[in-house]
């Protein structure tokens, strides 16, 4: 196990390198010139001299490869993600403030998704072609069809029109008031979690149906074992391996879905920070957010791979 973990960690190095190069180059290909944007917003003449002065002040006058290696050097040896081109504040400070908020929303959404998908998927498989099965499958198709951002918009608009109520948009950190913070996070977490639960629910049902037809499960039924024991100990544990893989693949969707929901519910997480940075072409913030998200996705997938050995003792890491 230790050798497997060491190899996986080493494999992250080239992956992070290529991901950083792609992110660094791609954000600079976003249409729009940040220099023109700054000059126009400050009512400064966009002459050649003023452009050159601003590029030199922001460090954008150097070739892109020099900017990249300087950025990587500062991260590796100083832990510095650079400074915002607009606010001149360290990017790392903004990431430290916004990162826990987005991770909290993603974690709560994942809990909701698992709490909805796995029990309903197991029930749907155990009661195949029953009324409950049809209701569960219809719910999953509905969640697949309706975008989460549309549901979030409807939750913000219609209750305010019909009942004069809308979710609290003044964010309260968890450290200040845990109950109020969880109350604010509950609605977007449920919306995002239900959207993610649709695919997980259908896969759980499919895998449970496949496992329930195996000979060892029929033998357990023939022995007269209790239904709960057969489902939990013999069927569910083996059926969960593909489901856990799917959960790891949904990690980017948690971040991607949170970007829009954070804007709708005015949650000051990394998604809202990223949208503001893209609109302002603030390259250090954009690259910092994408790099952190990439690292988080890689770590989550590593944890998912390691969980296979817990779910299935037959899995060996060599």
């Amino acid at each position: 196990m230790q050798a497997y973990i060491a190899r996986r960690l080493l494999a992250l190095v080239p992956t992070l390198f290529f991901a950083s190069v792609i992110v660094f180059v791609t954000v600079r290909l976003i249409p729009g010139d940040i220099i023109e944007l700054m000059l126009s917003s400050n009512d400064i003449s966009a002459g050649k001299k003023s452009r050159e002065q601003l590029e030199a002040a922001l460090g954008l006058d150097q070739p892109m490869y020099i900017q990249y290696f300087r950025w990587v050097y500062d991260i590796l040896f100083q832990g510095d993600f650079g400074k915002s081109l607009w606010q001149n504040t360290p990017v790392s400070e903004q990431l430290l403030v916004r990162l826990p908020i987005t991770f909290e929303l993603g974690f709560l959404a994942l809990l909701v998704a698992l709490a909805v998908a796995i029990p309903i998927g197991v029930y749907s498989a155990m009661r195949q072609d029953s009324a409950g099965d049809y209701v569960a499958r219809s719910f999953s198709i509905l969640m697949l069809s309706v975008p989460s951002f549309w549901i979030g918009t409807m939750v913000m608009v219609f209750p305010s029109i019909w009942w004069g109520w809308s979710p609290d948009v003044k964010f309260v950190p968890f450290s200040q008031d845990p109950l109020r913070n969880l109350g604010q996070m509950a609605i977007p977490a449920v919306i995002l979690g239900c959207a993610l639960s649709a695919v997980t629910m259908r896969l759980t049902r499919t895998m449970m149906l496949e496992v329930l037809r195996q000979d060892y499960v029929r033998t357990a039924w023939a022995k007269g074992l209790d239904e709960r024991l057969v489902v939990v100990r013999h069927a569910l544990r083996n059926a969960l391996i593909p489901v856990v893989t799917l959960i790891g693949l949904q990690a980017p969707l948690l971040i991607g879905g949170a970007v829009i929901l954070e804007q709708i519910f005015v949650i000051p997480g990394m998604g809202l920070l990223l949208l503001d940075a893209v609109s302002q072409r603030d390259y250090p913030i954009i690259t910092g957010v994408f790099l952190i998200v990439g690292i988080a996705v890689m770590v989550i997938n590593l944890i998912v791979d390691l969980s296979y050995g817990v779910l299935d003792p037959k899995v060996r890491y060599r």
Side-chain angles (χ1 to χ4, degrees), residues 14 24 26 64 68 134 193 237 266 291 297:
F24 192 87
T26 303
M64 190 178 295
Y68 171 77
Y134 287 119
R237 190 169 180 178
V266 199
L291 185 63
V297 170

Side-chain angles (χ1 to χ4, degrees), residues 116-137:
V116 171
I118 293 180
I120 296 180
V122 171
Y123 172 84
S124 184
M126 295 297 297
R127 304 292 184 266
Q128 186 181 9
D129 295 330
S130 64
D133 182 26
Y134 287 119
V135 171
R137 283 190 283 173

Side-chain angles (χ1 to χ4, degrees), residues 78-219:
Q78 300 179 15
D80 183 12
F81 285 84
K83 292 186 177 181
S84 170
L85 299 180
W86 287 85
Q87 305 169 9
N88 199 33
T89 55
V91 175
S92 56
E93 292 182 2
Q94 299 189 49
L95 293 177
L96 288 175
V97 174
R98 305 291 189 105
L99 189 63
I101 299 174
T102 296
F103 278 7
E104 179 189 358
L105 177 59
F107 178 73
L108 293 175
L110 182 62
L111 290 181
V112 171
L114 296 180
V116 171
I118 293 180
I120 296 180
V122 171
Y123 172 84
S124 184
M126 295 297 297
R127 304 292 184 266
Q128 186 181 9
D129 295 330
S130 64
D133 182 26
Y134 287 119
V135 171
R137 283 190 283 173
S138 300
F139 173 76
S140 66
I141 294 174
L142 178 64
M143 289 295 100
L144 283 173
S145 305
V146 180
S148 59
F149 65 83
W150 183 85
I151 299 177
T153 304
M154 296 302 102
V155 169
M156 290 292 291
V157 172
F158 284 114
S160 63
I161 297 176
W162 293 337
W163 306 300
W165 175 89
S166 62
D168 191 359
V169 295
K170 186 179 180 181
F171 182 75
V172 178
F174 184 83
S175 57
Q176 293 184 9
D177 191 341
L179 292 179
R180 187 176 175 185
N181 173 269
L182 292 175
Q184 287 180 301
M185 290 290 193
I187 296 177
V190 169
I191 294 173
L192 183 57
C194 288
L196 294 174
S197 68
V199 179
T200 308
M201 184 193 309
R202 294 180 69 85
L203 182 61
T204 302
R205 178 183 182 276
T206 301
M207 296 309 303
M208 280 294 297
L209 288 174
E210 182 178 337
V211 172
L212 289 172
R213 297 188 180 101
Q214 299 297 318
D215 291 338
Y216 67 90
V217 176
R218 292 181 182 142
T219 302

Side-chain angles (χ1 to χ4, degrees), residues 39 41 113 204 224 238 251 293:
L39 293 175
S41 64
T204 302
N238 291 305
V293 170

Side-chain angles (χ1 to χ4, degrees), residues 4 6 39 72 75 82 114 150 238 250 267-268 294 307 311 314:
Y4 174 78
L39 293 175
V72 172
I75 293 177
L114 296 180
W150 183 85
N238 291 305
Q250 286 181 331
I267 299 174
S307 66
L311 294 172
K314 295 182 293 183

Side-chain angles (χ1 to χ4, degrees), residues 122 126 221 225-236:
V122 171
M126 295 297 297
W221 287 118
L225 295 179
D226 183 69
E227 182 182 49
R228 181 179 302 178
L229 184 64
V230 174
V231 172
V232 174
R233 180 174 296 182
H234 295 276
L236 181 59

